[in-house]
Amino acid sequence: MNAIVIKQAGEPECLMLQTRPRPEPGPGQVLLRVAAAGVNRPDVLMRQGKYAGADDVAGLVPGLEVAGHVEECGAGVTQWQPGDAVCALLGQGGYAEYAVVDAGHCLPVPAGLSLMEAASLPETAFTVWHNVFQRGGLLPGETLLVHGGSSGIGVLAVQLAQALGSRVAATAGSAEKCAAVARLGADTVVNYKEEDFETVVAAAGGADVILDMVGGDYTPKNLRLLRDDGRLVFINAMQGAKAEFNALDLMRRRLTITGSTLRPRSAEFKAALAREVERHVWPIVADGRLRPVIERTFPLAEAAEAHRLMESSSHIGKIVLLVP
C-alpha cells in the first residue's frame, strides 16, 4: 500500500510517500480501506518530534482520524462487517491506503455526510466532547469561550455548544475568520490581533468554561474572565506551558484548571468516549445543526503541502487528505 512516512523529525518535506506492507488486523481490530484522512495540529507536532509519546518519529505514519470502509475484521469483532462505512480515531497511521483501528474506536459515518466530511470529525469530536462537556461540564445557559474559534476544534466546539443551549464567545485572528465563526453561531467574536479579548469578553459577562489551546500569557486573563465556579480547560499550550496566577483568587472563586490529551489514554477509555460521541454528538450532526467546515482537500501524496497550510494558520475549519 502507499503511505506517508516521516523520514525524520523536521519540516514538511520530511513527509515522504512510500510503499509499505498492508497491515493485518489483530483481535478486536478492523482493517479500513481509507478514503480520507483528517489533518490535525498533533500531526504537525508528531512530524516535528514534539507530540506526547512520539519523540522518535522516523518511520512513523502520521494521521489521527480517517474515514473509509471496513475491509476485514479481526477475531472477536462483531459490531462491524466488511463494507461498513465508518470513521475512526487512531493513534497514528491514518495517512495511508489502509489502516488498522481498534473496532471500539470506530463510529458509523453520520447520515448525510460524505467520507471526506466524516474524516474531519473524530479527532475534534472526541476532543471537544471530553474536554468541554465531560471535563469542563458545560451546561445549557452557561457561556463557553473558545480560543482559536476558526480552527477545526473551534468550529466544532462553537457549533456543538450552541446546539446544546450554551452561549459562545470565541477568538480568531482576522476579520474573515471572525465572520465565519459568527456565522457558525458564536454570540461574541473577538479579533485578538485588534482587540484585547479579556476586555471584550468581560464586557459581555465573562465565561463559565474556557477551552484554551494557547497558554502562556492567556492563562491569567482566562482565569480573570471565569465566573465563580468556572473551569479552564487546556488542550494545548502553543504560546507557552508556564504561567503565573493568583492561587488565592482561584480558591476564593472556586475555579478549576484542568486539561487532557487523548493519545496516551487507554483503548478502553477511547472506546467509551466513542460511544458517548455517538450518543450525544452524532444526532446533532445528522440533523444538520453541526456541519463539518472543510477549508481544503489535498491528495495523499501532497501531505507536505497540507502541513504547510496547517502551519500557516490561514485556514478556517479542517484540512483533509484524499486517498485514491
Side-chain angles (χ1 to χ4, degrees):
M1 70 171 186
N2 288 320
I4 294 293
V5 177
I6 303 173
K7 185 179 179 180
Q8 61 191 35
E11 298 302 313
E13 54 267 23
C14 293
L15 297 174
M16 309 289 291
L17 185 67
Q18 293 183 0
T19 301
R20 284 288 184 93
R22 195 182 85 167
E24 297 295 330
Q29 297 179 327
V30 295
L31 175 69
L32 300 185
R33 175 65 172 91
V34 177
V39 177
N40 294 284
R41 186 71 61 175
D43 298 339
V44 172
L45 295 176
M46 180 182 288
R47 191 204 74 227
Q48 295 171 337
K50 299 177 181 178
Y51 192 47
D55 298 327
D56 183 12
V57 295
L60 295 184
V61 177
L64 304 179
E65 58 183 355
V66 297
H69 291 94
V70 176
E71 183 83 4
E72 183 181 343
C73 296
V77 174
T78 58
Q79 66 267 53
W80 306 111
Q81 301 295 325
D84 286 345
V86 301
C87 55
L89 181 79
L90 57 166
Q92 62 188 56
Y95 292 10
E97 292 179 330
Y98 292 90
V100 166
V101 184
D102 188 306
H105 303 169
C106 296
L107 293 162
V109 171
L113 293 196
S114 67
L115 290 172
M116 180 272 290
E117 291 173 314
S120 75
L121 288 177
E123 196 271 344
T124 50
F126 280 54
T127 298
V128 170
W129 184 256
H130 178 55
N131 287 284
V132 174
F133 294 93
Q134 292 184 332
R135 302 192 75 80
L138 182 67
L139 298 172
E142 292 188 324
T143 297
L144 170 70
L145 170 59
V146 182
H147 289 298
S150 62
S151 67
I153 292 286
V155 161
L156 191 141
V158 168
Q159 293 183 84
L160 186 57
Q162 193 274 338
L164 292 175
S166 298
R167 291 179 55 81
V168 182
T171 62
S174 71
E176 179 187 11
K177 290 181 176 181
C178 287
V181 175
R183 288 193 296 270
L184 293 173
D187 302 280
T188 302
V189 187
V190 185
N191 184 339
Y192 66 84
K193 293 183 178 179
E194 296 182 353
E195 299 178 281
D196 175 44
F197 77 83
E198 183 182 3
T199 300
V200 177
V201 177
D208 299 284
V209 178
I210 299 177
L211 183 64
D212 186 37
M213 57 190 77
V214 181
D217 61 8
Y218 272 38
T219 302
K221 292 185 175 186
N222 285 332
L223 291 171
R224 288 194 295 266
L225 279 173
L226 284 174
R227 297 167 179 162
D228 288 358
D229 298 298
R231 292 82 76 193
L232 172 59
V233 187
F234 287 100
I235 55 171
N236 202 346
M238 295 173 64
Q239 299 300 324
K242 296 181 179 181
E244 292 186 1
F245 61 89
N246 186 330
L248 294 177
D249 183 58
L250 183 146
M251 295 159 58
R252 179 178 61 82
R253 297 195 289 129
R254 304 173 303 281
L255 305 181
T256 298
I257 301 175
T258 184
S260 75
T261 182
L262 276 174
R263 192 171 193 267
R265 300 302 296 267
S266 69
E268 293 76 16
F269 171 85
K270 293 174 185 176
L273 183 55
R275 304 287 72 81
E276 286 283 299
V277 168
E278 184 176 3
R279 183 178 305 115
H280 296 287
V281 181
W282 257 217
I284 296 171
V285 177
D287 69 18
R289 286 180 290 162
L290 193 163
R291 302 297 296 181
V293 176
I294 310 298
E295 169 73 22
R296 187 175 171 187
T297 64
F298 291 85
L300 178 66
E302 297 180 15
E305 291 303 314
H307 274 222
R308 290 189 182 95
L309 176 57
M310 172 65 72
E311 289 182 277
S312 76
S313 295
S314 63
H315 59 290
I316 297 173
K318 294 299 291 280
I319 303 165
V320 177
L321 297 176
L322 300 180
V323 182

